[in-house]
PDB file of all heavy atoms in Angstrom:
ATOM      1  N   SER A 388       5.923  -0.717   5.972  1.00  0.00           N
ATOM      2  CA  SER A 388       7.391  -1.015   5.993  1.00  0.00           C
ATOM      3  C   SER A 388       8.000  -0.642   7.359  1.00  0.00           C
ATOM      4  O   SER A 388       9.156  -0.998   7.619  1.00  0.00           O
ATOM      5  CB  SER A 388       8.019  -0.203   5.033  1.00  0.00           C
ATOM      6  OG  SER A 388       7.792   1.168   5.235  1.00  0.00           O
ATOM      7  N   LYS A 397      24.030  -5.381   8.349  1.00  0.00           N
ATOM      8  CA  LYS A 397      25.301  -4.525   8.629  1.00  0.00           C
ATOM      9  C   LYS A 397      25.143  -3.706   9.744  1.00  0.00           C
ATOM     10  O   LYS A 397      25.693  -4.102  10.843  1.00  0.00           O
ATOM     11  CB  LYS A 397      25.430  -3.674   7.545  1.00  0.00           C
ATOM     12  CG  LYS A 397      24.875  -4.466   6.393  1.00  0.00           C
ATOM     13  CD  LYS A 397      25.447  -4.222   5.253  1.00  0.00           C
ATOM     14  CE  LYS A 397      25.369  -5.529   4.394  1.00  0.00           C
ATOM     15  NZ  LYS A 397      26.271  -5.518   3.556  1.00  0.00           N
ATOM     16  N   TYR A 430      17.711   1.722  -5.749  1.00  0.00           N
ATOM     17  CA  TYR A 430      18.621   0.847  -5.056  1.00  0.00           C
ATOM     18  C   TYR A 430      17.894  -0.547  -4.906  1.00  0.00           C
ATOM     19  O   TYR A 430      18.449  -1.472  -4.410  1.00  0.00           O
ATOM     20  CB  TYR A 430      19.092   1.332  -3.730  1.00  0.00           C
ATOM     21  CG  TYR A 430      17.861   1.471  -2.688  1.00  0.00           C
ATOM     22  CD1 TYR A 430      17.624   0.423  -1.870  1.00  0.00           C
ATOM     23  CD2 TYR A 430      17.395   2.694  -2.583  1.00  0.00           C
ATOM     24  CE1 TYR A 430      16.567   0.537  -0.906  1.00  0.00           C
ATOM     25  CE2 TYR A 430      16.332   2.772  -1.577  1.00  0.00           C
ATOM     26  CZ  TYR A 430      15.904   1.691  -0.781  1.00  0.00           C
ATOM     27  OH  TYR A 430      14.978   1.882   0.120  1.00  0.00           O
TER      28      TYR A 430
ATOM     29  P    DG C  83       8.323  -2.374   2.307  1.00  0.00           P
ATOM     30  OP1  DG C  83       7.784  -1.300   3.164  1.00  0.00           O
ATOM     31  OP2  DG C  83       8.103  -2.379   0.883  1.00  0.00           O
ATOM     32  O5'  DG C  83       9.992  -2.286   2.535  1.00  0.00           O
ATOM     33  C5'  DG C  83      10.557  -2.393   3.802  1.00  0.00           C
ATOM     34  C4'  DG C  83      12.056  -2.526   3.859  1.00  0.00           C
ATOM     35  O4'  DG C  83      12.291  -3.879   3.287  1.00  0.00           O
ATOM     36  C3'  DG C  83      12.663  -1.587   2.910  1.00  0.00           C
ATOM     37  O3'  DG C  83      13.760  -0.974   3.574  1.00  0.00           O
ATOM     38  C2'  DG C  83      13.363  -2.496   1.737  1.00  0.00           C
ATOM     39  C1'  DG C  83      13.440  -3.799   2.396  1.00  0.00           C
ATOM     40  N9   DG C  83      13.330  -4.968   1.571  1.00  0.00           N
ATOM     41  C8   DG C  83      12.433  -5.300   0.676  1.00  0.00           C
ATOM     42  N7   DG C  83      12.640  -6.444   0.055  1.00  0.00           N
ATOM     43  C5   DG C  83      13.757  -6.880   0.627  1.00  0.00           C
ATOM     44  C6   DG C  83      14.557  -8.112   0.316  1.00  0.00           C
ATOM     45  O6   DG C  83      14.259  -8.987  -0.508  1.00  0.00           O
ATOM     46  N1   DG C  83      15.598  -8.159   1.063  1.00  0.00           N
ATOM     47  C2   DG C  83      16.112  -7.260   2.071  1.00  0.00           C
ATOM     48  N2   DG C  83      17.177  -7.523   2.696  1.00  0.00           N
ATOM     49  N3   DG C  83      15.427  -6.140   2.261  1.00  0.00           N
ATOM     50  C4   DG C  83      14.287  -6.103   1.548  1.00  0.00           C
ATOM     51  P    DT C  84      14.720   0.113   2.922  1.00  0.00           P
ATOM     52  OP1  DT C  84      14.889   1.161   3.993  1.00  0.00           O
ATOM     53  OP2  DT C  84      14.149   0.466   1.680  1.00  0.00           O
ATOM     54  O5'  DT C  84      15.950  -0.786   2.655  1.00  0.00           O
ATOM     55  C5'  DT C  84      16.611  -1.464   3.785  1.00  0.00           C
ATOM     56  C4'  DT C  84      17.833  -2.227   3.324  1.00  0.00           C
ATOM     57  O4'  DT C  84      17.494  -3.317   2.533  1.00  0.00           O
ATOM     58  C3'  DT C  84      18.888  -1.418   2.481  1.00  0.00           C
ATOM     59  O3'  DT C  84      20.169  -1.484   3.125  1.00  0.00           O
ATOM     60  C2'  DT C  84      18.828  -1.997   1.091  1.00  0.00           C
ATOM     61  C1'  DT C  84      18.421  -3.535   1.341  1.00  0.00           C
ATOM     62  N1   DT C  84      17.639  -4.197   0.231  1.00  0.00           N
ATOM     63  C2   DT C  84      18.064  -5.422  -0.085  1.00  0.00           C
ATOM     64  O2   DT C  84      19.037  -5.905   0.348  1.00  0.00           O
ATOM     65  N3   DT C  84      17.372  -6.054  -1.000  1.00  0.00           N
ATOM     66  C4   DT C  84      16.108  -5.460  -1.596  1.00  0.00           C
ATOM     67  O4   DT C  84      15.583  -6.154  -2.438  1.00  0.00           O
ATOM     68  C5   DT C  84      15.730  -4.210  -1.193  1.00  0.00           C
ATOM     69  C7   DT C  84      14.491  -3.640  -1.679  1.00  0.00           C
ATOM     70  C6   DT C  84      16.411  -3.652  -0.170  1.00  0.00           C
ATOM     71  P    DC C  85      21.351  -0.702   2.460  1.00  0.00           P
ATOM     72  OP1  DC C  85      22.019  -0.084   3.571  1.00  0.00           O
ATOM     73  OP2  DC C  85      20.901   0.146   1.293  1.00  0.00           O
ATOM     74  O5'  DC C  85      22.072  -1.864   1.893  1.00  0.00           O
ATOM     75  C5'  DC C  85      22.363  -3.161   2.684  1.00  0.00           C
ATOM     76  C4'  DC C  85      23.043  -4.099   1.812  1.00  0.00           C
ATOM     77  O4'  DC C  85      22.178  -4.799   0.830  1.00  0.00           O
ATOM     78  C3'  DC C  85      24.291  -3.626   1.072  1.00  0.00           C
ATOM     79  O3'  DC C  85      25.336  -4.544   1.346  1.00  0.00           O
ATOM     80  C2'  DC C  85      23.776  -3.630  -0.368  1.00  0.00           C
ATOM     81  C1'  DC C  85      22.794  -4.780  -0.371  1.00  0.00           C
ATOM     82  N1   DC C  85      21.660  -4.680  -1.395  1.00  0.00           N
ATOM     83  C2   DC C  85      21.410  -5.658  -2.176  1.00  0.00           C
ATOM     84  O2   DC C  85      22.027  -6.734  -2.171  1.00  0.00           O
ATOM     85  N3   DC C  85      20.351  -5.550  -3.020  1.00  0.00           N
ATOM     86  C4   DC C  85      19.625  -4.454  -3.064  1.00  0.00           C
ATOM     87  N4   DC C  85      18.632  -4.425  -3.973  1.00  0.00           N
ATOM     88  C5   DC C  85      19.873  -3.334  -2.289  1.00  0.00           C
ATOM     89  C6   DC C  85      21.000  -3.510  -1.470  1.00  0.00           C
ATOM     90  P    DA C  86      26.815  -4.067   1.122  1.00  0.00           P
ATOM     91  OP1  DA C  86      27.629  -4.784   2.118  1.00  0.00           O
ATOM     92  OP2  DA C  86      26.906  -2.535   1.033  1.00  0.00           O
ATOM     93  O5'  DA C  86      27.200  -4.603  -0.324  1.00  0.00           O
ATOM     94  C5'  DA C  86      26.958  -6.036  -0.555  1.00  0.00           C
ATOM     95  C4'  DA C  86      27.030  -6.258  -2.095  1.00  0.00           C
ATOM     96  O4'  DA C  86      25.787  -6.012  -2.727  1.00  0.00           O
ATOM     97  C3'  DA C  86      28.144  -5.496  -2.733  1.00  0.00           C
ATOM     98  O3'  DA C  86      28.696  -6.302  -3.799  1.00  0.00           O
ATOM     99  C2'  DA C  86      27.321  -4.282  -3.430  1.00  0.00           C
ATOM    100  C1'  DA C  86      26.068  -5.100  -3.863  1.00  0.00           C
ATOM    101  N9   DA C  86      24.904  -4.298  -4.139  1.00  0.00           N
ATOM    102  C8   DA C  86      24.623  -3.153  -3.654  1.00  0.00           C
ATOM    103  N7   DA C  86      23.413  -2.580  -4.025  1.00  0.00           N
ATOM    104  C5   DA C  86      22.984  -3.653  -4.811  1.00  0.00           C
ATOM    105  C6   DA C  86      21.755  -3.733  -5.490  1.00  0.00           C
ATOM    106  N6   DA C  86      20.764  -2.840  -5.554  1.00  0.00           N
ATOM    107  N1   DA C  86      21.493  -4.949  -6.173  1.00  0.00           N
ATOM    108  C2   DA C  86      22.514  -5.811  -6.158  1.00  0.00           C
ATOM    109  N3   DA C  86      23.674  -5.900  -5.509  1.00  0.00           N
ATOM    110  C4   DA C  86      23.865  -4.688  -4.909  1.00  0.00           C
TER     111       DA C  86
END
Side-chain angles (χ1 to χ4, degrees):
Chain A
S388 60
K397 327 208 149 206
Y430 67 87

